[in-house]
Amino acid sequence: MSALAGRTAIVTGASRGIGRGIADRLARDGALVAVHYGSDEEAARETVATVEKNGGRAFAFRADLAAPDAVDAFYAALDAGLAELGEGPGFDILVNNAGASGSGRIHQLTPETFDRLFTINVKAPLFLVQRGLDRLRDGGRIVNISSATTKHAFPDSVTYAMTKGAVDTMTLALAKELGPRGITVNAVAPGFIATDMNARRRATPEAHAALAALSVFNRLGTPADVADVVAFLVSDDARWITGQYVDVTGGTAL
């Protein structure tokens, strides 16, 4: 049987990039994947189509994580999507992948940008977990997508780095809190991945080469590089791993 057969996984921000890669990999491992998106319905449908092409099961649902009613809207849309498939509201895996970036350096920061990044990157995943605890089955898995910026100085986006530091702290606290239920909570920290989020930083061949050179493998990461690690952490093989920060940077800045 597939490693995740019979399990339901939620991946936030799964319409593109790392989220799409995670959704596809978990579906190929047998999970029913709930593909969350914030605004780009067409891209989310492309994720579902990719999953189905590879023999998996998925459905898309929308919730704006920056909205005041984000958590209510999220679970209402999730429940509707599950009900259409004849599934109940319970789930086994939550991957908090959705995120916003682009704060800039300290002198460029605005209160509006600060509030937006902390709302999407910190408040949303924390309250999604809180509201989902009565739905998340014992023995479940939570994976929070962190960033290499919490271990390496990254003044180009100081607030983004701060939000991911909060995610790391949240991961530790939740791992301790949920351990008695057999639920593991871990953070996965990518480096530079070839996605839309950092397209500006690799806009020229020279810039691309400079980013690739940060890894000991002299290349940018791919969504699959991250998705494969997430797939391990949500599997039974990772049952004895919790509260950890897993570096998925290709040896950046060693």
Side-chain angles (χ1 to χ4, degrees), residues 97-168:
N97 166 76
S101 63
S103 65
R105 291 177 174 268
I106 185 63
H107 60 278
Q108 299 169 314
L109 179 62
T110 66
E112 293 77 17
T113 299
F114 180 94
D115 289 345
R116 178 173 178 271
L117 265 62
F118 267 88
T119 295
I120 296 173
N121 296 2
V122 182
K123 181 181 178 181
L126 178 62
F127 284 94
L128 288 179
V129 171
Q130 182 199 57
R131 187 72 62 84
L133 285 179
D134 61 347
R135 302 160 177 260
L136 180 60
R137 299 182 181 101
D138 290 353
R141 302 285 188 264
I142 298 172
V143 176
N144 300 316
I145 303 302
S146 179
S147 169
T149 61
T150 68
K151 304 297 183 183
H152 304 280
F154 196 66
D156 285 353
S157 193
V158 59
T159 305
Y160 174 79
M162 291 170 64
T163 65
K164 293 303 185 178
V167 166
D168 292 348

Side-chain angles (χ1 to χ4, degrees), residues 200-245:
R200 178 179 59 82
R201 295 184 180 279
R202 52 188 177 85
T204 67
E206 294 78 13
H208 185 104
L211 291 182
L214 294 174
S215 163
V216 298
F217 303 117
N218 196 35
R219 69 170 177 85
L220 293 183
T222 67
D225 291 327
V226 182
D228 290 349
V229 175
V230 173
F232 166 67
L233 289 174
V234 304
S235 73
D236 290 339
D237 289 344
R239 61 192 174 276
W240 204 235
I241 301 173
T242 195
Q244 300 305 302
Y245 171 98

Side-chain angles (χ1 to χ4, degrees), residues 75-97:
Y75 281 111
L78 173 66
D79 287 349
L82 288 169
E84 286 186 11
L85 297 176
E87 302 283 345
F91 61 91
D92 306 277
I93 297 162
L94 172 61
V95 181
N96 283 310
N97 166 76

Side-chain angles (χ1 to χ4, degrees), residues 58-69:
F59 67 93
F61 72 103
R62 179 184 181 278
D64 179 3
L65 297 184
D69 64 344

